[in-house]
Amino acid sequence: MPPMSDSSRQREMLQGTLDLLILQTLAPGPAHGHTIAHVIEHRSEDVLQVEHGSLYPALHRLEDRGWIASFWGTSENNRKARYYRLTATGRKQLAAETNHWDKLVRAVNRVLRPAEE
């Protein structure tokens, strides 16, 4: 198997991170795409900007995996919008991904900020 290029690795990591953020955003209840992007941006204090070109492929990917489901509804401004909700499988995946993320952050911090020896 050929080694992954830096751009492939970065894309995979970013996709996985976006997937996790979307799942977490949907944990309290259903939302449409614009709201999902806004919540991620707001909670990150605008550090994370979610482009539609990344968001909607991620939503389709998560739906294909059975982690989220979609349905049509009416948005706050009376427009037809596709809403997304977390499935039971998605809730389990969110727990697993959050656990993995926490381990990863702790490991990186141990390397970046080693304890005084």
Side-chain angles (χ1 to χ4, degrees), residues 23-74:
L23 294 175
Q24 178 59 42
T25 301
L26 293 174
H32 58 79
H34 178 74
T35 298
I36 294 168
H38 176 74
V39 167
I40 292 170
E41 291 170 6
H42 179 73
R43 286 186 186 165
S44 73
E45 297 178 349
D46 293 320
V47 171
L48 303 174
Q49 299 292 313
V50 182
E51 302 296 330
H52 287 218
S54 299
L55 177 64
Y56 289 98
L59 289 169
H60 294 298
R61 183 173 57 251
L62 295 174
E63 192 168 20
D64 289 345
R65 291 178 181 165
W67 299 349
I68 64 173
S70 65
F71 61 93
W72 287 101
T74 304

Side-chain angles (χ1 to χ4, degrees), residues 23 57 65 77 86 94 108 112-114:
L23 294 175
R65 291 178 181 165
N77 57 3
L86 208 52
L94 173 58
V108 169
L112 293 176
R113 296 177 186 87

Side-chain angles (χ1 to χ4, degrees), residues 70-85:
S70 65
F71 61 93
W72 287 101
T74 304
S75 68
E76 304 81 31
N77 57 3
N78 264 347
R79 293 190 179 170
K80 188 176 178 181
R82 184 171 287 262
Y83 283 77
Y84 299 89
R85 67 170 182 80

